[in-house]
Amino acid sequence: MTAPRILVVDDEADLRELLEITLLKMGLDVDSAATLRQARGLLEEHDYALVLTDMRLPDGLGLELVREVHASPKATPIAVITAYGSAENAVVALKAGAFDYISKPVALDALRVMVRSALRLLDAAPAQPDGSVPGSRMIGTSTAMQSLRAQIGRLARSNAPISITGESGSGKELAAREIHAQSSRASKPFVAVNCGAIPETLMEAEFFGYRKGAFTGAAEERDGFFQAANGGTLMLDEVADLPLAMQVKLLRAIQERRVRKIGATSEEPVDVRIISATHQDLARCVEQGRFRQDLFYRLNVIELSLPPLRERLDDLPPLVDAVLARLAGPGQAALGPGVLDALRAYSFPGNIRELENVLERALAFANDGVIEVGDLSLKAARPSEAGREAAAAAPAPVQAPVPAPVAEPEAATAPVGAAPGPAMLGPGGLPGNLPEYLIQVERDIIGRALQQTQFNRTQAAALLGISVRQLRYQMQKLEISAPDDNA
């Protein structure tokens, strides 16, 4: 069997020789070039399993070669060598289609890991004509799903960080797992972390681990998420909920590919691919000062947007079949007349997750495993995500002035659902006190969201497009209390 062939492109003879010797010891065939012109000539003559190029060459930039190789129908992975500390160059190269990057001075262990990762792409399962691969859980034949699967297939061939965006319940973690399963890291761990569910005081220990005795309660040494995902993929779900202090530490870990446990005196290398996900607009979070711009650029190298279920209703039949087979077993549940039409007429603001909940509830009420329209318990009119956002952004309806209530001896928290006392309106229907009027509008919107979700803070936060931590803060600031707060 012919050994895989690697192309090394670098104008430094010493470094080129070091790379050649290292790759030859790995049992690989190696060609080398000192210029772009030589590299292009070799690429025309041979097929390569990997191209490794410096960013600066005598007759141009390695970035030119990255774009050319990435656009080639051969789909050869290409990695770049960047100067120490040139994180911006690495991000530009990844955006241009580079498989991965390595910094100078070149760490040979890291080089070997990257090369093995690229070679594993040769064994990846080929995609079907519709973009699906064997064992894929990305179900559907709609145009949106075929496009999404094609994107996932391309992204799986890279080690670049990916930012997955989409509404709550649209399958962001499923897409991340699919990228991991099709990548060269498939045999390594996939670790998913909900950034909004970790107490701020424990974040550093959870992400980076700690040494025995590093703090009170540290009875034994423990690895963090980065060590647990070493060699594989680390998914940061709801990454917008990370506090700013943790964002700084996360940025360094991603850039340096090294982490330091709490209580340790030295850093240790880690090899993880970062996939982040959020239902929030990260760019807007950056504008608001809630998310670091440098971390945003580090995570948002490639963006993958997931379509909501209402935009791919053609996929409902196979999705319903797959969900019912998982809940009741193959062939154990069926849909009655008109059920599929009723599902198509629903907007599904909760997307796939809501579809699963609707079917699970309906199955519990179904007779002999046959789901009827009445078993679905769908609400007649459920506003779409866009409609909710428009309603939240719109000013409160103008109400007739009412007498101001008699002041209590002490300020009491407003119970959820209580209509806010409207500000007195002046000439032209404008509020006489704008700040107080806006506070009343915000209090009313949050109260209605809590009522609609039966005081479930997690669901109410998702409905409003904010984190649970933000919702709790706003409730405290606006003196909003739920029934269980006064229990």
Side-chain angles (χ1 to χ4, degrees):
M1 180 177 177
T2 305
R5 185 182 292 267
I6 311 294
L7 175 59
V8 176
V9 188
D10 199 299
D11 61 331
E12 296 182 34
D14 291 343
L15 178 58
R16 197 166 61 240
E17 183 179 0
L18 174 63
L19 296 176
E20 289 176 6
I21 293 172
T22 303
L23 295 172
L24 287 170
K25 287 183 176 179
M26 293 177 66
L28 306 171
D29 288 338
V30 184
D31 290 335
S32 61
T35 64
L36 281 176
R37 182 178 178 181
Q38 293 176 5
R40 287 167 177 149
L42 289 169
L43 283 166
E44 290 180 0
E45 296 176 10
H46 306 286
D47 291 334
Y48 292 98
L50 173 68
V51 178
L52 183 60
T53 180
D54 195 5
M55 285 290 282
R56 295 185 179 276
L57 297 165
D59 54 346
L61 296 175
L63 198 60
E64 299 176 39
L65 196 62
V66 170
R67 294 193 176 103
E68 292 170 13
V69 171
H70 181 63
S72 168
K74 295 180 180 179
T76 304
I78 180 169
V80 297
I81 305 172
T82 65
Y84 177 76
S86 299
E88 296 80 7
N89 288 341
V91 171
V92 171
L94 291 171
K95 283 182 177 290
F99 163 75
D100 205 347
Y101 72 93
I102 190 168
S103 300
K104 294 180 180 179
V106 175
L108 297 183
D109 286 344
L111 172 67
R112 295 186 188 99
V113 169
M114 183 182 69
V115 171
R116 293 190 188 101
S117 182
L119 295 179
R120 284 196 293 270
L121 291 174
L122 300 175
D123 301 324
Q128 304 297 322
D130 64 352
S132 63
V133 296
S136 172
R137 294 179 60 195
M138 305 299 292
I139 298 171
T141 58
S142 64
T143 302
M145 279 306 295
Q146 290 187 41
S147 174
L148 179 62
R149 282 197 295 265
Q151 291 181 69
I152 287 175
R154 290 194 297 270
L155 296 179
R157 298 183 61 84
S158 166
N159 275 339
I162 298 173
S163 175
I164 302 179
T165 59
E167 296 177 7
S168 293
S170 57
K172 294 186 288 293
E173 182 174 337
L174 184 62
R177 289 184 180 276
E178 190 71 12
I179 293 170
H180 173 77
Q182 294 187 34
S183 75
S184 58
R185 298 172 175 266
S187 61
K188 301 295 182 180
F190 176 93
V191 177
V193 180
N194 188 335
C195 298
I198 307 173
E200 187 171 348
T201 54
L202 298 179
M203 276 194 171
E204 186 174 0
E206 292 292 329
F207 274 92
F208 307 135
Y210 51 83
R211 296 284 192 188
K212 179 179 179 180
F215 51 84
T216 303
E220 58 185 5
E221 184 171 343
R222 180 180 171 184
D223 287 340
F225 297 134
F226 273 86
Q227 292 93 342
N230 195 25
T233 303
L234 177 61
M235 181 191 179
L236 305 177
D237 197 8
E238 298 304 343
V239 70
D241 291 340
L242 283 173
L244 287 171
M246 188 61 204
Q247 291 177 29
V248 177
K249 296 169 183 175
L250 181 62
L251 175 64
R252 174 176 173 77
I254 294 173
Q255 287 186 167
E256 304 301 327
R257 300 185 177 185
R258 306 179 71 86
V259 297
R260 177 181 296 171
K261 290 183 176 181
I262 298 177
T265 57
S266 60
E267 295 180 328
E268 56 184 289
V270 288
D271 171 36
V272 298
R273 184 185 193 178
I274 300 293
I275 298 180
S276 58
T278 179
H279 72 279
Q280 300 187 50
D281 186 340
L282 270 187
R284 185 179 298 176
C285 293
V286 172
E287 293 175 0
Q288 296 172 347
R290 296 192 292 113
F291 203 83
R292 291 181 62 94
Q293 188 177 52
D294 46 8
L295 181 58
F296 170 72
Y297 288 129
R298 251 320 184 174
L299 296 175
N300 202 48
V301 173
I302 302 175
E303 183 174 331
L304 180 66
S305 180
L306 300 190
L309 180 56
R310 62 180 174 275
E311 293 181 5
R312 56 185 193 98
L313 292 177
D314 290 345
D315 293 332
L316 269 177
L319 282 171
V320 169
D321 290 343
V323 172
L324 291 180
R326 178 171 55 83
L327 293 175
Q332 299 302 308
L335 301 183
V339 173
L340 204 54
D341 291 335
L343 291 173
R344 284 197 180 100
Y346 187 58
S347 64
F348 285 104
N351 294 292
I352 306 296
R353 185 182 298 128
E354 184 175 9
L355 173 65
E356 293 174 342
N357 291 341
V358 166
L359 292 176
E360 186 172 11
R361 182 177 60 242
L363 201 57
F365 290 104
N367 292 322
D368 299 324
V370 179
I371 297 175
E372 304 293 344
V373 173
D375 299 326
L376 297 176
S377 302
L378 297 176
K379 297 180 180 178
R382 185 80 174 265
S384 65
E385 191 78 17
R388 285 203 304 271
E389 291 178 358
V398 177
Q399 303 178 21
V402 297
V406 178
E408 298 288 340
E410 294 183 1
T413 57
V416 172
M424 296 299 290
L425 301 177
L430 298 176
N433 186 329
L434 181 59
E436 180 61 28
Y437 185 76
L438 293 176
I439 288 174
Q440 292 174 358
V441 170
E442 186 175 8
R443 181 183 290 122
D444 181 47
I445 290 173
I446 292 176
R448 283 190 281 120
L450 287 166
Q451 281 186 325
Q452 289 181 29
T453 58
Q454 298 182 336
F455 311 105
N456 185 311
R457 289 180 175 84
T458 301
Q459 294 180 9
L463 198 64
L464 296 171
I466 60 177
S467 68
V468 178
R469 186 182 294 134
Q470 287 175 289
L471 177 62
R472 287 175 179 152
Y473 172 78
Q474 292 301 109
M475 289 177 64
Q476 183 177 8
K477 185 179 77 169
L478 299 173
E479 297 182 333
I480 297 175
S481 63
D484 58 340
D485 295 334
N486 301 318

